[in-house]
Amino acid sequence: MKHRRAVYPGSFDPVTNGHVDIIRRASALFDELVVAVLLNRGKTPLFSTEERLDMLRKSVAGWRNVRVDSFSGLMVDYMRKNDMAVAIRGLRAVSDLEYEFQLAHTNRTLYPEMETVFLMPGENYVYLTSTTVREVASLGGELGTQVPRHVSLALRKKFSEKK
Ligand code: ADP
């Protein structure tokens, strides 16, 4: 099977410019890229599913071969159902490797026909995580080039509501 449709799964709480960098690279490699929000993470996200999907939609509006979706349950079940054989993951630094390898091997055991493709972000995004973005925003810090502008506005709104 030719790997023309890929999925990029994540919690995207919220989407950062690091995610957008990976989306840009993956969209150039595959005919179709689906950015999929994972719904069954243990912890309660800062942004609702709809808010996360909305921020992603705005962030990928420039690419015609990228769309946004969400799923719950096992990623491999979602992939099988949607005829996807490639999962994209971003690797920031060696520290990501251990966890990503575990995940990739587990997924491959469950769905032997799939491949995980790791992409490296631009160097500006190597230390960027959604967790630090949420922390900085909660303390009123400037996010500058770390997130799209509409995301920094959404973060400001979210934390002013919480006060
Ligand atoms: P995080 O790991 O920041 O909580 P996600 O769960 O949404 O974010 O991550 C989805 C995927 O995107 C993972 O493969 C993660 O390693 C990758 N990723 C997250 N931030 C970056 C970044 N700044 N550069 C490259 N990849 C990233």
Side-chain angles (χ1 to χ4, degrees):
M1 194 198 324
K2 282 271 191 323
H3 303 317
R4 298 193 183 285
R5 181 184 293 162
V7 60
Y8 177 33
S11 34
F12 304 106
D13 186 32
V15 58
T16 69
N17 281 339
H19 295 125
V20 174
D21 185 79
I22 296 295
I23 292 168
R24 178 178 62 77
R25 291 169 197 279
S27 77
L29 290 174
F30 295 91
D31 289 337
E32 192 185 345
L33 178 70
V34 180
V35 184
V37 176
L38 245 130
L39 300 183
N40 47 346
R41 284 269 170 93
K43 45 191 181 181
T44 314
L46 175 65
F47 289 100
S48 70
T49 306
E50 260 324 306
E51 288 171 324
R52 283 181 283 159
L53 286 169
D54 189 53
M55 284 186 278
L56 274 173
R57 274 188 209 107
K58 284 184 184 141
S59 308
V60 307
W63 293 288
R64 286 176 57 189
N65 65 337
V66 182
R67 64 187 171 84
V68 169
D69 194 12
S70 62
F71 70 96
S72 50
L74 282 175
M75 181 183 75
V76 291
D77 291 339
Y78 172 77
M79 288 179 71
R80 273 208 190 88
K81 212 167 66 196
N82 291 283
D83 197 22
M84 296 159 169
V86 174
I88 305 290
R89 296 292 288 175
L91 274 188
R92 283 163 287 203
V94 182
S95 51
D96 277 343
L97 209 62
E98 182 85 32
Y99 172 72
E100 291 293 339
F101 264 46
Q102 278 177 18
L103 201 67
H105 279 291
T106 306
N107 286 330
R108 184 183 274 175
T109 307
L110 296 167
Y111 183 13
E113 297 79 16
M114 74 161 284
E115 295 294 345
T116 301
V117 171
F118 295 105
L119 295 177
M120 211 172 71
E123 58 190 14
N124 294 347
Y125 308 118
V126 166
Y127 296 105
L128 182 54
T129 73
S130 296
T131 307
T132 54
V133 160
R134 289 195 302 272
E135 268 170 27
V136 169
S138 75
L139 300 169
E142 266 308 312
L143 288 163
T145 58
Q146 303 195 330
V147 295
R149 190 166 152 69
H150 62 88
V151 173
S152 70
L153 294 175
L155 280 161
R156 203 172 300 165
K157 184 154 176 275
K158 181 66 84 182
F159 285 109
S160 66
E161 280 166 4
K162 278 182 178 264
K163 273 182 198 151

